[in-house]
Amino acid sequence: MRAAVTTRYGSPEVVEVREVAAPIPARNEVLIRVLGSSVCYGDRMFRSGPLLIRVLTGFRVKHRILGVDLAGIVEAVGEKVTRFAPGDEVYGARGDKFAAHAEFACVSEDGFLAHKPARMTFEEAGTVFVGAVCSLYFLRKAKLVPGERVLIHGASGSLGVFAVQLAKHFGAHVTAVCSSRNADLVRSLGADEVIDYTAQDFVDGGQVYDVIMDVLGKAEFPRSVRALKPGGRYLLVGLSGGVGTIARALVSGGLVHLRGRARFIIGAAAPTQADLVFLRQLIEAGRLRTVIGRSHTLDEIVEAHRYADSGHKVGNVAVLIGDRS
């Protein structure tokens, strides 16, 4: 089968499309002919190899084939599989095992796999998992109450576009922070108010929020806590920057939490298969959709990584894989 293979850390050019052996499903696994995937933040980190990743992986490339999100058609199933059958259209993820940027991938029947929303294409469904389940996990941890004011920083990114819609689903009043060029997009997703971060600092606007969702820690934490109500919830969804920046954020967050200034919520999301079923129900009801900023074929995987690295990505970067005939 064809797959996008990474043999060393570095720029997008280290990813090459090669012929590799196709996986064989175990007794409890489903073999999927992958038709859609995405380039997510995790793919970029395990490709570029910042110091923290290299230390954690012993300075060796851990995942030769990247790709978390996936959507496709069940090709075969292991003898113990009962919930899926060849021909089923499915969506989900490989999770921290990666390897979805290939024509075939195996997922456990009890893993991150569910029947694909009928109203979504494979391209669309292959961009849902990472952004939607992470947003869902953190918003549930915040225990939103209808009518609460939520600020989402990074609202036009791959997590943000889902966070805006899910916060609205839970009854929140949503303020989205993004650039002016994406204001119409986030309003179409349900945002009640939009702050253009290039023209206005949300911290100095006088408004305070019950919940702040800070995607990748780019809202100038802990300074941004000034815009949070006392005892509010600060969701730090992922971290960017070097080891020092991450350490400072963790220490500052711990102090904010211990002093009772805010509930500081951080950590890796812990999604379940039931989350995919829940998201499918919202999608089928027309209450949740993906946003694809750009689509690339597997042969264009380098360009897909370049766009994801650009810092100007809107929504998700879709990767089209395999034969749709």
Side-chain angles (χ1 to χ4, degrees):
M1 70 172 184
R2 299 171 75 243
V5 178
T6 304
T7 58
R8 65 189 189 280
Y9 291 122
S11 65
E13 287 72 22
V14 302
V15 186
E16 302 175 1
V17 177
R18 298 182 181 179
E19 286 286 340
V20 299
I24 299 173
R27 299 172 70 190
N28 67 331
E29 287 185 331
V30 175
L31 176 67
I32 300 162
R33 178 157 56 93
V34 181
L35 299 178
S37 185
S38 74
V39 175
C40 69
Y41 184 72
D43 296 320
R44 293 171 52 214
M45 291 301 99
F46 277 92
R47 184 216 76 224
S48 60
L51 180 59
L52 184 59
I53 292 293
R54 298 188 190 215
V55 170
L56 292 174
T57 60
F59 290 86
R60 289 184 173 183
V61 172
K62 183 176 182 180
H63 302 289
R64 295 182 71 247
I65 302 175
L66 297 171
V68 179
D69 292 327
L70 60 78
I73 299 173
V74 175
E75 187 80 6
V77 299
E79 60 189 59
K80 284 193 171 183
V81 174
T82 59
R83 295 202 298 274
F84 300 97
D88 285 353
E89 297 183 350
V90 294
Y91 84 130
R94 286 273 302 169
D96 60 7
K97 297 178 181 178
F98 290 83
H101 290 167
E103 291 179 319
F104 293 95
C106 290
V107 180
S108 169
E109 177 184 37
D110 298 322
F112 304 133
L113 194 66
H115 290 94
K116 181 181 75 67
R119 68 185 295 154
M120 272 190 166
T121 64
F122 290 109
E123 176 185 4
E124 293 169 332
T127 66
V128 170
F129 181 84
V130 172
V133 299
C134 285
S135 297
L136 179 63
Y137 173 82
F138 279 93
L139 289 172
R140 280 176 169 168
K141 292 281 283 187
K143 298 180 180 178
L144 283 180
V145 175
E148 286 192 311
R149 300 184 72 90
V150 177
L151 180 134
I152 299 172
H153 193 280
S156 61
S158 56
L159 271 74
V161 295
F162 291 112
V164 169
Q165 297 172 86
L166 289 168
K168 288 300 296 181
H169 172 73
F170 292 131
H173 179 282
V174 175
T175 297
V177 180
C178 62
S179 66
S180 58
R181 64 191 176 94
N182 296 321
D184 288 342
L185 167 64
V186 296
R187 285 194 184 96
S188 76
L189 298 174
D192 299 287
E193 300 179 40
V194 179
I195 295 176
D196 175 5
Y197 70 85
T198 67
Q200 178 185 348
D201 187 341
F202 75 90
V203 176
D204 295 331
Q207 179 63 56
V208 291
Y209 303 90
D210 299 285
V211 177
I212 292 177
M213 175 179 274
D214 181 359
V215 179
L216 297 179
K218 294 185 176 181
E220 294 189 25
F221 178 84
R223 173 177 171 271
S224 50
V225 174
R226 287 164 42 188
L228 189 69
K229 288 182 179 179
R233 289 89 84 201
Y234 197 98
L235 315 178
L236 191 54
V237 186
L239 290 164
S240 59
V243 174
T245 301
I246 294 172
R248 284 192 296 274
L250 294 176
V251 171
S252 299
L255 291 173
V256 165
H257 192 92
L258 289 172
R259 291 170 179 167
R261 172 63 181 85
R263 278 186 58 210
F264 182 69
I265 300 173
I266 191 173
T272 67
Q273 191 177 66
D275 293 338
L276 280 169
V277 176
F278 173 75
L279 293 169
R280 184 183 69 211
Q281 292 169 347
L282 291 184
I283 293 165
E284 295 289 22
R287 305 198 66 174
L288 185 70
R289 66 182 175 93
T290 189
V291 173
I292 296 175
R294 191 173 294 178
S295 296
H296 291 279
T297 66
L298 185 62
D299 286 321
E300 298 168 338
I301 192 67
V302 171
E303 287 78 7
H305 275 269
R306 283 180 185 147
Y307 178 59
D309 281 1
S310 68
H312 301 291
K313 176 176 69 68
V314 177
N316 298 278
V317 184
V319 180
L320 310 179
I321 305 171
D323 182 5
R324 283 162 171 70
S325 60

